[in-house]
Amino acid sequence: MLKVSLIVAGGGSGQRFRKALKARGGRMAAPTKIFAELAGKPVLIRSLDAMRKVSEIGEIVLAVPKDQIRISRMLLKKHGHGGVKIVAGGKTRALSVLQALKRTAGSARSVLVHDGARPLIDPEAVRKLIRGAQGADGAILASPLTGTVKQIRPGSMEIEKTVDRRFLFSAETPQLANRSFLLRAYKTVADAELATDESSLLEAAGGRVKVVTHEGWNPKITDYKDLELAEAYWTRGQGAETRTGFGRDIHRLSEGRRLILGGTVIAHDKGCLGHSDGDALLHAVTDALLGAAGMGDIGEWYSDKDPKFKNADSSKLLLGIVKQAALRGWRPVHADTVIHLEKPKLSPFKAAIRAKIAGLLGLPVEAVSVKAKTMEGLGPVGEGLAVSCDALVTLQRI
Ligand code: MG
Protein backbone atom coordinates (compact mmCIF):
# COMPACT_ATOMS: atom_id res chain seq x y z
CA MET A 1 0.00 0.00 0.00
CA LEU A 2 1.22 3.49 -0.83
CA LYS A 3 2.08 5.44 2.22
CA VAL A 4 0.77 8.86 3.25
CA SER A 5 3.14 11.85 3.27
CA LEU A 6 2.98 14.15 6.27
CA ILE A 7 3.55 17.89 6.03
CA VAL A 8 4.17 19.74 9.28
CA ALA A 9 3.54 23.49 9.25
CA GLY A 10 6.00 25.11 11.62
CA GLY A 11 5.57 28.83 11.05
CA GLY A 12 4.26 31.55 13.32
CA SER A 13 6.77 33.62 15.25
CA GLY A 14 6.01 34.56 18.83
CA GLN A 15 7.77 37.55 20.36
CA ARG A 16 5.03 38.15 22.94
CA PHE A 17 4.74 34.46 23.61
CA ARG A 18 8.48 34.23 24.24
CA LYS A 19 8.41 37.12 26.71
CA ALA A 20 5.46 35.76 28.68
CA LEU A 21 7.02 32.30 28.74
CA LYS A 22 10.42 33.51 29.95
CA ALA A 23 8.80 35.50 32.76
CA ARG A 24 7.28 32.24 34.00
CA GLY A 25 10.48 30.21 33.89
CA GLY A 26 9.60 28.38 30.66
CA ARG A 27 12.15 27.51 28.00
CA MET A 28 12.26 28.00 24.28
CA ALA A 29 15.06 26.75 22.04
CA ALA A 30 14.29 29.17 19.17
CA PRO A 31 12.08 32.20 18.54
CA THR A 32 9.05 30.36 17.11
CA LYS A 33 6.38 28.89 19.40
CA ILE A 34 6.85 25.33 18.22
CA PHE A 35 10.23 25.36 19.99
CA ALA A 36 8.76 26.19 23.40
CA GLU A 37 9.28 23.27 25.76
CA LEU A 38 6.32 21.18 26.82
CA ALA A 39 7.36 19.00 29.77
CA GLY A 40 11.02 19.28 28.74
CA LYS A 41 10.73 18.70 24.97
CA PRO A 42 9.98 21.24 22.22
CA VAL A 43 6.30 21.31 21.17
CA LEU A 44 7.32 20.41 17.60
CA ILE A 45 9.19 17.31 18.80
CA ARG A 46 6.16 16.20 20.85
CA SER A 47 4.04 16.54 17.67
CA LEU A 48 6.54 14.50 15.65
CA ASP A 49 6.87 11.85 18.39
CA ALA A 50 3.09 11.28 18.16
CA MET A 51 3.09 11.15 14.36
CA ARG A 52 5.92 8.63 14.32
CA LYS A 53 3.54 6.14 15.92
CA VAL A 54 1.32 6.26 12.82
CA SER A 55 2.72 3.50 10.59
CA GLU A 56 0.74 4.72 7.54
CA ILE A 57 3.02 7.78 7.35
CA GLY A 58 5.88 7.16 4.89
CA GLU A 59 7.71 10.49 5.00
CA ILE A 60 7.63 13.79 6.84
CA VAL A 61 8.35 17.25 5.38
CA LEU A 62 8.61 20.19 7.78
CA ALA A 63 8.16 23.82 6.62
CA VAL A 64 9.79 26.44 8.85
CA PRO A 65 10.87 30.06 8.31
CA LYS A 66 14.18 30.16 6.45
CA ASP A 67 16.13 31.48 9.45
CA GLN A 68 14.89 28.53 11.56
CA ILE A 69 16.15 25.78 9.30
CA ARG A 70 19.50 25.31 11.03
CA ILE A 71 18.15 25.15 14.57
CA SER A 72 15.31 22.90 13.39
CA ARG A 73 17.75 20.47 11.80
CA MET A 74 19.85 20.39 14.96
CA LEU A 75 16.87 19.81 17.29
CA LEU A 76 15.30 17.19 15.07
CA LYS A 77 18.55 15.27 14.97
CA LYS A 78 19.01 15.54 18.72
CA HIS A 79 15.54 14.09 19.33
CA GLY A 80 15.80 11.24 16.83
CA HIS A 81 13.91 12.82 13.92
CA GLY A 82 16.92 13.21 11.62
CA GLY A 83 14.98 11.69 8.69
CA VAL A 84 12.53 14.61 8.45
CA LYS A 85 12.97 16.78 5.33
CA ILE A 86 13.04 20.50 6.05
CA VAL A 87 11.97 23.22 3.60
CA ALA A 88 11.86 27.01 3.85
CA GLY A 89 8.29 28.22 4.34
CA GLY A 90 6.56 31.01 2.46
CA LYS A 91 4.90 34.27 3.50
CA THR A 92 1.66 32.60 4.59
CA ARG A 93 0.77 29.23 6.08
CA ALA A 94 -0.75 28.15 2.74
CA LEU A 95 2.43 29.05 0.84
CA SER A 96 4.56 27.19 3.40
CA VAL A 97 2.43 24.08 2.98
CA LEU A 98 2.75 24.43 -0.81
CA GLN A 99 6.57 24.49 -0.58
CA ALA A 100 6.45 21.30 1.49
CA LEU A 101 3.85 19.71 -0.77
CA LYS A 102 6.17 20.08 -3.76
CA ARG A 103 8.82 18.12 -1.85
CA THR A 104 6.55 15.18 -1.00
CA ALA A 105 6.92 11.98 -3.01
CA GLY A 106 4.92 12.00 -6.24
CA SER A 107 3.96 8.38 -5.52
CA ALA A 108 1.99 9.32 -2.39
CA ARG A 109 -1.74 9.37 -3.05
CA SER A 110 -2.57 11.41 0.02
CA VAL A 111 -0.92 14.02 2.15
CA LEU A 112 -1.63 14.83 5.77
CA VAL A 113 -1.02 18.39 6.92
CA HIS A 114 -0.50 19.01 10.63
CA ASP A 115 0.22 22.12 12.71
CA GLY A 116 3.56 21.67 14.49
CA ALA A 117 1.90 23.51 17.39
CA ARG A 118 -0.59 20.69 18.10
CA PRO A 119 1.57 18.38 20.25
CA LEU A 120 -1.24 16.43 21.93
CA ILE A 121 -2.44 14.75 18.75
CA ASP A 122 -3.44 11.15 19.43
CA PRO A 123 -1.95 8.70 16.87
CA GLU A 124 -5.22 6.72 17.03
CA ALA A 125 -7.16 9.83 15.89
CA VAL A 126 -4.79 10.18 12.90
CA ARG A 127 -5.47 6.56 11.89
CA LYS A 128 -9.21 7.19 12.22
CA LEU A 129 -8.84 10.25 9.95
CA ILE A 130 -6.98 8.26 7.29
CA ARG A 131 -9.68 5.58 7.34
CA GLY A 132 -12.46 8.21 7.35
CA ALA A 133 -11.15 9.94 4.24
CA GLN A 134 -11.77 6.95 2.01
CA GLY A 135 -14.05 7.78 -0.92
CA ALA A 136 -13.59 11.56 -0.46
CA ASP A 137 -11.08 14.14 -1.73
CA GLY A 138 -10.07 14.92 1.81
CA ALA A 139 -11.00 14.80 5.50
CA ILE A 140 -10.28 16.88 8.55
CA LEU A 141 -10.05 16.13 12.22
CA ALA A 142 -12.58 18.30 14.05
CA SER A 143 -14.50 18.68 17.28
CA PRO A 144 -18.20 19.43 17.65
CA LEU A 145 -18.97 22.87 19.09
CA THR A 146 -20.23 22.57 22.64
CA GLY A 147 -21.16 26.20 23.40
CA THR A 148 -24.25 28.03 22.18
CA VAL A 149 -23.34 30.08 19.12
CA LYS A 150 -24.86 33.49 18.34
CA GLN A 151 -24.71 35.25 15.03
CA ILE A 152 -24.85 39.07 15.11
CA ARG A 153 -26.01 41.55 12.47
CA PRO A 154 -22.95 42.92 10.69
CA GLY A 155 -21.95 46.33 12.05
CA SER A 156 -23.79 45.88 15.35
CA MET A 157 -23.53 43.73 18.46
CA GLU A 158 -27.18 42.74 18.15
CA ILE A 159 -28.00 39.05 17.84
CA GLU A 160 -29.58 38.05 14.59
CA LYS A 161 -30.05 34.39 15.43
CA THR A 162 -28.90 31.41 17.44
CA VAL A 163 -27.03 29.08 15.11
CA ASP A 164 -27.92 25.41 15.11
CA ARG A 165 -24.69 23.98 16.47
CA ARG A 166 -25.53 20.39 15.52
CA PHE A 167 -24.08 21.21 12.12
CA LEU A 168 -21.02 23.13 13.33
CA PHE A 169 -17.55 21.73 13.91
CA SER A 170 -14.29 23.37 14.87
CA ALA A 171 -11.56 22.43 12.37
CA GLU A 172 -8.27 21.04 13.67
CA THR A 173 -5.30 19.31 12.12
CA PRO A 174 -4.20 16.96 10.76
CA GLN A 175 -6.15 17.41 7.57
CA LEU A 176 -5.90 14.84 4.83
CA ALA A 177 -6.01 15.68 1.13
CA ASN A 178 -5.68 13.81 -2.12
CA ARG A 179 -2.23 15.00 -3.18
CA SER A 180 -2.94 15.82 -6.83
CA PHE A 181 -6.30 17.39 -5.97
CA LEU A 182 -4.61 19.71 -3.47
CA LEU A 183 -1.85 20.64 -5.92
CA ARG A 184 -4.50 21.48 -8.50
CA ALA A 185 -6.50 23.53 -5.99
CA TYR A 186 -3.42 25.70 -5.35
CA LYS A 187 -3.38 26.53 -9.07
CA THR A 188 -7.09 27.09 -9.62
CA VAL A 189 -8.44 28.66 -6.42
CA ALA A 190 -8.27 32.47 -6.26
CA ASP A 191 -6.25 33.81 -3.31
CA ALA A 192 -5.09 30.28 -2.50
CA GLU A 193 -2.14 31.74 -0.59
CA LEU A 194 -4.56 33.18 1.99
CA ALA A 195 -6.33 29.92 2.85
CA THR A 196 -6.10 29.21 6.57
CA ASP A 197 -6.41 25.46 6.14
CA GLU A 198 -6.13 22.85 3.39
CA SER A 199 -9.79 21.91 3.54
CA SER A 200 -10.79 25.47 2.45
CA LEU A 201 -8.76 24.94 -0.72
CA LEU A 202 -10.33 21.57 -1.44
CA GLU A 203 -13.81 22.98 -0.81
CA ALA A 204 -13.20 25.99 -3.07
CA ALA A 205 -12.01 23.64 -5.81
CA GLY A 206 -15.22 21.65 -5.57
CA GLY A 207 -13.82 18.76 -3.55
CA ARG A 208 -15.74 16.53 -1.13
CA VAL A 209 -14.24 16.83 2.34
CA LYS A 210 -15.38 14.81 5.34
CA VAL A 211 -15.32 15.70 9.02
CA VAL A 212 -13.87 13.08 11.38
CA THR A 213 -14.38 13.59 15.11
CA HIS A 214 -12.24 12.20 17.93
CA GLU A 215 -12.34 11.80 21.68
CA GLY A 216 -8.99 13.44 22.52
CA TRP A 217 -7.92 17.02 23.22
CA ASN A 218 -5.88 18.48 20.37
CA PRO A 219 -5.31 22.18 21.11
CA LYS A 220 -3.14 24.51 19.03
CA ILE A 221 -0.54 26.17 21.25
CA THR A 222 -1.00 29.87 20.56
CA ASP A 223 -0.16 31.53 23.86
CA TYR A 224 1.59 30.54 27.07
CA LYS A 225 -1.71 29.64 28.76
CA ASP A 226 -2.27 26.97 26.12
CA LEU A 227 1.22 25.69 26.83
CA GLU A 228 0.65 25.50 30.59
CA LEU A 229 -2.67 23.71 30.15
CA ALA A 230 -1.18 21.32 27.62
CA GLU A 231 1.74 20.60 29.96
CA ALA A 232 -0.60 19.86 32.86
CA TYR A 233 -2.66 17.57 30.59
CA TRP A 234 0.43 15.84 29.25
CA THR A 235 2.06 15.35 32.64
CA ARG A 236 -1.13 13.95 34.13
CA GLY A 237 -1.53 11.56 31.20
CA GLN A 238 2.06 10.38 31.51
CA GLY A 239 2.02 10.05 35.29
CA ALA A 240 5.49 11.56 34.92
CA GLU A 241 8.14 9.58 36.77
CA THR A 242 10.07 11.61 39.35
CA ARG A 243 13.17 10.88 41.43
CA THR A 244 14.77 12.77 44.30
CA GLY A 245 18.46 12.82 45.19
CA PHE A 246 20.36 14.11 48.23
CA GLY A 247 23.72 15.90 48.36
CA ARG A 248 25.92 17.18 51.18
CA ASP A 249 29.21 19.06 51.11
CA ILE A 250 31.49 20.66 53.68
CA HIS A 251 34.39 23.04 53.05
CA ARG A 252 36.94 24.42 55.45
CA LEU A 253 36.94 28.23 55.78
CA SER A 254 40.24 29.99 55.37
CA GLU A 255 41.57 33.52 55.16
CA GLY A 256 42.60 34.81 51.76
CA ARG A 257 39.80 33.01 49.87
CA ARG A 258 36.55 34.44 48.54
CA LEU A 259 33.38 33.02 50.07
CA ILE A 260 31.16 31.83 47.21
CA LEU A 261 27.87 30.06 47.95
CA GLY A 262 25.26 29.26 45.32
CA GLY A 263 27.34 31.08 42.71
CA THR A 264 27.08 34.26 44.76
CA VAL A 265 29.98 36.12 46.37
CA ILE A 266 29.36 36.67 50.10
CA ALA A 267 31.26 39.52 51.77
CA HIS A 268 33.32 37.88 54.55
CA ASP A 269 36.91 37.80 55.83
CA LYS A 270 37.19 34.05 55.07
CA GLY A 271 36.36 31.86 52.12
CA CYS A 272 36.11 28.19 51.21
CA LEU A 273 39.21 26.13 50.69
CA GLY A 274 38.86 23.84 47.73
CA HIS A 275 40.31 22.76 44.43
CA SER A 276 37.51 24.55 42.55
CA ASP A 277 35.99 27.84 43.72
CA GLY A 278 34.89 25.89 46.83
CA ASP A 279 31.16 26.55 46.40
CA ALA A 280 29.87 23.95 48.89
CA LEU A 281 26.23 24.76 48.12
CA LEU A 282 26.52 24.18 44.38
CA HIS A 283 28.52 21.02 45.07
CA ALA A 284 25.69 19.74 47.29
CA VAL A 285 23.12 20.62 44.59
CA THR A 286 25.26 18.92 41.93
CA ASP A 287 25.58 15.77 44.04
CA ALA A 288 21.81 15.75 44.70
CA LEU A 289 21.18 15.99 40.97
CA LEU A 290 23.67 13.22 40.25
CA GLY A 291 22.05 11.11 42.96
CA ALA A 292 18.55 11.56 41.52
CA ALA A 293 19.73 10.65 38.03
CA GLY A 294 21.81 7.69 39.26
CA MET A 295 24.95 9.24 37.79
CA GLY A 296 27.50 8.76 40.56
CA ASP A 297 29.06 11.63 42.52
CA ILE A 298 30.76 14.92 41.76
CA GLY A 299 34.27 13.51 42.27
CA GLU A 300 33.72 10.99 39.46
CA TRP A 301 32.82 13.79 37.06
CA TYR A 302 35.19 16.52 38.20
CA SER A 303 38.30 15.13 39.90
CA ASP A 304 40.01 17.41 42.44
CA LYS A 305 43.31 16.05 41.04
CA ASP A 306 42.56 17.40 37.57
CA PRO A 307 44.29 20.77 36.99
CA LYS A 308 41.48 21.59 34.55
CA PHE A 309 39.18 22.17 37.52
CA LYS A 310 41.59 24.30 39.57
CA ASN A 311 39.57 27.32 40.77
CA ALA A 312 36.77 26.15 38.45
CA ASP A 313 33.49 28.03 38.47
CA SER A 314 31.12 25.58 40.16
CA SER A 315 28.17 27.09 38.21
CA LYS A 316 29.74 25.69 35.05
CA LEU A 317 30.25 22.30 36.70
CA LEU A 318 26.58 22.18 37.70
CA LEU A 319 25.42 23.27 34.23
CA GLY A 320 27.47 20.44 32.74
CA ILE A 321 25.64 17.92 34.94
CA VAL A 322 22.21 19.43 34.13
CA LYS A 323 23.06 18.87 30.47
CA GLN A 324 24.24 15.30 31.03
CA ALA A 325 21.08 14.49 33.02
CA ALA A 326 18.95 15.91 30.16
CA LEU A 327 20.74 13.62 27.71
CA ARG A 328 19.68 10.72 29.96
CA GLY A 329 16.06 11.93 29.93
CA TRP A 330 15.84 13.86 33.22
CA ARG A 331 15.10 17.49 34.00
CA PRO A 332 15.00 19.25 37.40
CA VAL A 333 11.59 20.24 38.76
CA HIS A 334 12.47 21.24 42.34
CA ALA A 335 15.43 21.93 44.63
CA ASP A 336 15.54 22.45 48.40
CA THR A 337 18.74 23.51 50.15
CA VAL A 338 20.12 24.31 53.62
CA ILE A 339 23.32 26.25 54.29
CA HIS A 340 24.94 25.78 57.73
CA LEU A 341 27.19 28.77 58.39
CA GLU A 342 27.94 30.61 61.62
CA LYS A 343 29.00 33.95 60.12
CA PRO A 344 28.11 36.17 58.31
CA LYS A 345 24.31 36.41 58.28
CA LEU A 346 23.03 35.14 54.94
CA SER A 347 19.62 36.83 54.87
CA PRO A 348 20.83 39.65 52.54
CA PHE A 349 22.12 37.04 50.05
CA LYS A 350 19.38 34.42 50.05
CA ALA A 351 17.28 35.93 47.23
CA ALA A 352 20.32 36.22 44.93
CA ILE A 353 21.44 32.64 45.72
CA ARG A 354 17.93 31.32 45.07
CA ALA A 355 17.68 33.13 41.72
CA LYS A 356 21.11 31.88 40.70
CA ILE A 357 20.32 28.23 41.48
CA ALA A 358 16.93 28.55 39.72
CA GLY A 359 18.69 29.91 36.63
CA LEU A 360 21.25 27.09 36.62
CA LEU A 361 18.58 24.40 36.97
CA GLY A 362 16.21 26.09 34.47
CA LEU A 363 13.48 26.49 37.09
CA PRO A 364 11.20 29.31 38.21
CA VAL A 365 12.43 30.72 41.57
CA GLU A 366 9.28 29.34 43.22
CA ALA A 367 10.62 25.84 42.63
CA VAL A 368 13.86 26.53 44.52
CA SER A 369 14.30 26.96 48.25
CA VAL A 370 17.35 28.30 50.11
CA LYS A 371 17.50 28.14 53.90
CA ALA A 372 20.29 29.31 56.19
CA LYS A 373 21.07 28.15 59.72
CA THR A 374 23.82 28.62 62.29
CA MET A 375 25.04 25.70 64.42
CA GLU A 376 24.62 27.61 67.69
CA GLY A 377 28.38 27.61 68.21
CA LEU A 378 28.55 23.80 68.11
CA GLY A 379 31.06 21.74 66.15
CA PRO A 380 33.44 22.96 63.42
CA VAL A 381 30.68 24.91 61.64
CA GLY A 382 29.61 26.50 64.92
CA GLU A 383 33.22 27.49 65.63
CA GLY A 384 33.37 29.28 62.26
CA LEU A 385 35.86 26.81 60.78
CA ALA A 386 33.65 25.46 57.99
CA VAL A 387 30.50 25.79 55.92
CA SER A 388 28.29 22.76 55.35
CA CYS A 389 25.44 22.50 52.83
CA ASP A 390 22.61 20.03 52.19
CA ALA A 391 20.48 19.79 49.05
CA LEU A 392 17.55 17.78 47.68
CA VAL A 393 16.89 17.87 43.93
CA THR A 394 13.84 16.29 42.28
CA LEU A 395 14.00 15.28 38.62
CA GLN A 396 11.21 14.43 36.22
CA ARG A 397 11.36 12.10 33.22
CA ILE A 398 11.40 14.12 30.00
MG1 MG B 1 33.01 20.45 47.49
Side-chain angles (χ1 to χ4, degrees):
M1 195 183 100
L2 283 173
K3 295 245 180 183
V4 178
S5 299
L6 170 68
I7 291 168
V8 176
S13 74
Q15 281 309 317
R16 250 186 327 157
F17 180 93
R18 190 180 172 84
K19 247 179 116 179
L21 188 71
K22 259 189 121 176
R24 302 171 77 84
R27 290 211 250 196
M28 216 161 152
T32 45
K33 289 175 214 172
I34 54 166
F35 295 110
E37 285 189 6
L38 188 152
K41 261 193 191 183
V43 164
L44 171 68
I45 301 297
R46 293 274 179 217
S47 306
L48 291 171
D49 285 351
M51 287 296 187
R52 189 150 63 183
K53 293 182 185 145
V54 181
S55 58
E56 289 87 340
I57 294 172
E59 64 171 349
I60 303 179
V61 184
L62 168 69
V64 288
K66 203 172 171 201
D67 60 354
Q68 303 294 308
I69 289 181
R70 261 178 79 168
I71 178 106
S72 302
R73 187 162 287 135
M74 191 201 82
L75 281 168
L76 260 58
K77 216 174 150 194
K78 177 178 164 195
H79 291 283
H81 292 287
V84 171
K85 283 184 212 163
I86 304 177
V87 300
K91 279 208 175 71
T92 63
R93 177 201 149 94
L95 289 175
S96 297
V97 169
L98 179 60
Q99 291 311 314
L101 184 60
K102 288 176 179 165
R103 287 285 300 277
T104 56
S107 58
R109 233 189 108 237
S110 313
V111 289
L112 277 167
V113 182
H114 187 56
D115 296 322
R118 290 188 192 267
L120 300 184
I121 181 66
D122 178 2
E124 201 41 59
V126 183
R127 281 183 211 112
K128 192 180 170 194
L129 175 73
I130 295 172
R131 286 196 305 271
Q134 275 172 18
D137 302 305
I140 67 167
L141 209 61
S143 295
L145 288 191
T146 51
T148 301
V149 180
K150 306 290 184 186
Q151 185 172 323
I152 56 163
R153 287 190 186 92
S156 79
M157 285 305 280
E158 208 173 301
I159 294 170
E160 187 171 272
K161 63 174 180 182
T162 300
V163 182
D164 189 343
R165 71 174 180 216
R166 287 176 302 163
F167 304 113
L168 295 181
F169 291 86
S170 175
E172 300 172 8
T173 73
Q175 301 199 346
L176 188 134
N178 176 289
R179 184 178 182 274
S180 49
F181 199 109
L182 182 58
L183 272 169
R184 212 160 48 237
Y186 266 104
K187 288 190 189 125
T188 57
V189 173
D191 295 331
E193 71 275 13
L194 300 178
T196 52
D197 71 351
E198 293 60 55
S199 170
S200 316
L201 287 172
L202 300 182
E203 295 157 40
R208 284 181 58 240
V209 187
K210 285 191 189 169
V211 162
V212 175
T213 59
H214 65 111
E215 298 298 315
W217 185 49
N218 180 29
K220 187 171 180 181
I221 307 296
T222 42
D223 69 27
Y224 73 87
K225 281 184 254 104
D226 300 325
L227 187 69
E228 288 188 349
L229 271 173
E231 181 156 297
Y233 185 85
W234 170 270
T235 310
R236 181 176 168 274
Q238 299 298 305
E241 188 187 349
T242 60
R243 285 187 195 169
T244 298
F246 174 71
R248 171 172 289 170
D249 197 25
I250 187 163
H251 278 248
R252 193 182 283 276
L253 290 171
S254 157
E255 276 163 22
R257 290 277 295 190
R258 283 202 305 172
L259 180 57
I260 301 172
L261 290 171
T264 306
V265 179
I266 315 284
H268 191 46
D269 55 357
K270 288 179 184 171
C272 286
L273 269 184
H275 183 64
S276 66
D277 63 6
D279 191 330
L281 180 55
L282 288 191
H283 295 174
V285 170
T286 304
D287 254 348
L289 205 161
L290 287 166
M295 287 165 57
D297 67 27
I298 193 167
E300 294 169 33
W301 287 85
Y302 304 116
S303 163
D304 60 4
K305 307 277 179 299
D306 191 333
K308 210 166 51 191
F309 303 121
K310 178 108 180 101
N311 295 320
D313 177 353
S314 297
S315 304
K316 294 206 176 109
L317 307 185
L318 174 55
L319 276 179
I321 297 299
V322 170
K323 218 170 178 182
Q324 288 297 324
L327 290 175
R328 289 161 177 78
W330 294 102
R331 65 160 185 149
V333 288
H334 178 252
D336 187 14
T337 63
V338 185
I339 306 165
H340 301 276
L341 180 68
E342 208 63 15
K343 273 197 305 196
K345 279 235 160 303
L346 288 175
S347 42
F349 303 99
K350 280 199 293 193
I353 294 173
R354 188 183 184 200
K356 176 76 181 181
I357 294 175
L360 292 170
L361 296 178
L363 291 175
V365 283
E366 295 81 27
V368 174
S369 150
V370 174
K371 303 188 289 299
K373 301 185 86 65
T374 71
M375 291 296 267
E376 305 278 336
L378 297 167
V381 171
E383 288 164 25
L385 299 174
V387 57
S388 168
C389 299
D390 294 338
L392 285 176
V393 170
T394 299
L395 302 178
Q396 191 175 70
R397 184 59 89 184
I398 295 171

